[in-house]
Every structure is written in C-alpha cells, then in structure tokens.
Amino acid sequence: MPAVTGPVLRAAVLGHPVGHSLSPVLHAAAHETLGLRAEYTRRDVTEREWGAFWSAARASGGWSGFSVTMPLKPLAARDADETTPLVRALGAANTLTRRADGSVVAANTDVMGIMSALTVAGQVPGAPSAVVLGGGATAGAAVAALHGLGAPAVDVVVRSPERARSLHRVADAVGTTVRVRPWSQAAALLGTADVAVVTLPPRGADELAEQWDALRPSVGGVLLDVAYDPWPSRIAASWQRAGGAIAPGVDMLIFQAVDQVRWFVNGEPTAALPGEDHVTAAMCRAVQRPERGVPARVRGAQAALLAP
C-alpha cells in the first residue's frame, strides 16, 4: 500500500434517503488502497434542501467531489458549471467534481456501471436485443449503456407511456432508437432478450416474475436488476431459473464508483487509477462481491460515449 500522504480528499454521497448507501464503503476501500488521506461521508439532502446546500458547498470550497443519487441527479446536472456529453444527453449527473479553479463539472458514471455489471455477469452479443423495464432516470442511463454495448435499438417497457417520453430525447442524443412498449408485452419481450435491465423500485417486477414463470421460458442472456435489496429479486431469480445470467445492482454501484474515484483523483474519467485492478478488487471485497475489473469492452465503448 502506498504511504498516506498529500492533501485530504473530501467527498460525500448526496441524496434522500442515503442512510443505506454503500458508497462510503466502496470509496473508503478505494482510498485505502490508493494510500489517500480521505474523508467520505453521507449527506441526506432533499430536493427542497438542495438550493441552500449547494450554495453553502460552493461557498465553502472545502470538498473534492460528490456522489449524487436520487432525487438530486437532475439538479446536479442543472447547477454544475460544466457538463459532460453523457450528462447533457441524460439530463442527470451522479458525479460532481471540483476543479482546481473552483469550477464544478458534472458527470454520469452510471452508464459505465451498467455496461460493466452486464458484461462481467455473462455473454453479451455484439448487437444484442435489449429490453429495459421502467422509464425513469435510471432507464435513460440503461438506454445509453445498451447502445454502448452495441444494441441497435432498445425496447422500453412501461406501465405509462408518459414515463418514457424523455427517453426518446436520450436515444436521439446518443444515436440509438427507443421503442416504447406496453407493460402487457413485458413477459414476451423478456423471452427474446439477449440483455435486460430492470430499473424499477425494489419488488416492482414481482408480479411480472410470477407471470413469466408460468410461461416456462428459456433464455441465455444477462439481466441486471439495479435494485440490490432483496437479492436476488424475484425477477432475477426467475431469469436465472430460465437459464440466464444475473447481475445485482451492487455490481453496477461498484463499477460506477470506480469511475467516480477516477474523477475525484484524476479530475477526468479516461486515465486509469494507479493500480486500478487492485483498487477495483478492494472495492469488490468491501461489499462481498467477486473480484472483477472493468471489462476492456466497456473501456472501448467509453471513448465513443464520452466524445462531444
């Protein structure tokens, strides 16, 4: 382990609620492995409190970066001085980094987290048939991630078409196509998917899992459920029984945090951390997940997704 030297890296995870967040555990493991002096905490901030919190944080200048979770991701994107192409496409940021001149850049590492979690879980074809369940902010990141993995189009299954309206703008921005499908088609679409991402709240697909089980499906692809408690979720367990590979939301959390640490330490997302494989392995161990690195395929897709 490197000697613990240099200035203190001060960061926190922001959102409401954040008491359950594993981000402090992941970032602490990374900081220890890198030999950094660091303080990483949780700050429960509601949408109503955001304005006052952000003004005070900007004025203090005493922080290095923030991890941002819901419901603050759109506000973080709106109030940063600079935004990456992915943030502009998604309208949401999960990472805020303070530069040396005091300006703030907003980034989105959720897309890298989704691509990595899917790719390490199982075989994803070069041009996969792709399905997303749900139409919220995380669904936008899933659309971009599936495009990054080569999906020619993405079927988005929602209970209300209005929920997916913004996803057409996301698809246009990243260069793909979204097909909004009614919830009644969810089971049939899952049965033909090479890759699926569930972006619903915990237990939001329980009823669908029961319906899908009744069809006795057979699949060979990969499903990521971004919710990580309970795990496996009922829909993930159903997918696994049907022959597919599954990825928990905690894997997405690990891999998106790797790029957050890149932002906080390097000030940009493309340069690897010193000993990054060891850093990622430590983060995996910290939340009792198998030690795996970010796949080369994902790093290859990253350049295109981050291009202006």
Side-chain angles (χ1 to χ4, degrees), residues 53 71 89 125 165 188 194 215 221 224 226 250 276 295 307-308:
F53 171 85
R165 186 174 299 165
D194 295 315
L215 298 175
L224 164 67
V226 302
V250 69
E276 185 163 291

Side-chain angles (χ1 to χ4, degrees), residues 258-270:
V258 173
D259 274 25
Q260 283 188 337
V261 177
R262 282 187 173 196
W263 272 106
F264 296 164
V265 172
N266 296 335
E268 58 96 21
T270 59

Side-chain angles (χ1 to χ4, degrees), residues 143-172:
V143 166
L146 293 168
H147 169 65
L149 291 176
V154 180
D155 289 309
V156 177
V157 188
V158 289
R159 291 184 173 90
S160 171
E162 290 75 21
R163 286 280 293 163
R165 186 174 299 165
S166 65
L167 298 185
H168 290 290
R169 177 186 56 78
V170 172
D172 289 343

Side-chain angles (χ1 to χ4, degrees), residues 23 44-45 54 73 85 95 102 107 136 153 161 179 186 210 220 228 231 248 257 299:
S23 291
D44 195 297
V45 180
W54 186 238
K73 291 181 181 183
T95 307
R179 298 181 296 234
E210 184 176 347
Y228 51 88
W231 184 257
R299 289 300 181 203

Side-chain angles (χ1 to χ4, degrees), residues 175-187:
T176 190
T177 300
V178 160
R179 298 181 296 234
V180 177
R181 307 296 195 189
W183 192 253
S184 59
Q185 295 181 13

Side-chain angles (χ1 to χ4, degrees), residues 77-273:
R78 182 193 70 189
D79 291 344
D81 301 310
E82 178 186 343
T83 54
T84 66
L86 267 181
V87 169
R88 293 193 291 274
L90 300 175
N94 77 326
T95 307
L96 293 168
T97 305
R98 183 177 179 271
R99 297 198 186 280
D101 63 2
S103 65
V104 179
V105 58
N108 190 299
T109 68
D110 285 336
V111 175
M112 304 308 160
I114 292 170
M115 287 197 294
S116 297
L118 288 167
T119 307
V120 301
Q123 186 63 41
V124 178
S129 58
V131 173
V132 173
L133 300 184
T138 306
V143 166
L146 293 168
H147 169 65
L149 291 176
V154 180
D155 289 309
V156 177
V157 188
V158 289
R159 291 184 173 90
S160 171
E162 290 75 21
R163 286 280 293 163
R165 186 174 299 165
S166 65
L167 298 185
H168 290 290
R169 177 186 56 78
V170 172
D172 289 343
V174 299
T176 190
T177 300
V178 160
R179 298 181 296 234
V180 177
R181 307 296 195 189
W183 192 253
S184 59
Q185 295 181 13
L189 288 166
L190 284 178
T192 61
D194 295 315
V195 61
V197 181
V198 182
T199 68
L200 303 169
R203 304 187 185 278
D206 283 4
E207 185 178 352
L208 172 61
E210 184 176 347
Q211 297 169 358
W212 205 53
D213 278 337
L215 298 175
R216 298 185 179 277
S218 177
V219 296
V222 185
L223 178 141
L224 164 67
D225 191 338
V226 302
Y228 51 88
D229 185 21
W231 184 257
S233 61
R234 288 189 63 182
I235 191 64
S238 295
W239 183 273
Q240 191 174 49
R241 283 193 295 270
I246 58 174
V250 69
D251 283 1
M252 171 189 168
L253 188 68
I254 293 166
F255 291 119
Q256 64 81 30
V258 173
D259 274 25
Q260 283 188 337
V261 177
R262 282 187 173 196
W263 272 106
F264 296 164
V265 172
N266 296 335
E268 58 96 21
T270 59
L273 297 164

Side-chain angles (χ1 to χ4, degrees), residues 284-307:
C284 291
R285 290 194 302 271
V287 290
Q288 300 179 332
R289 291 296 295 161
E291 295 180 17
R292 295 169 295 189
V294 176
R297 176 178 178 180
V298 173
R299 289 300 181 203
Q302 182 177 32
L305 286 170
L306 293 178

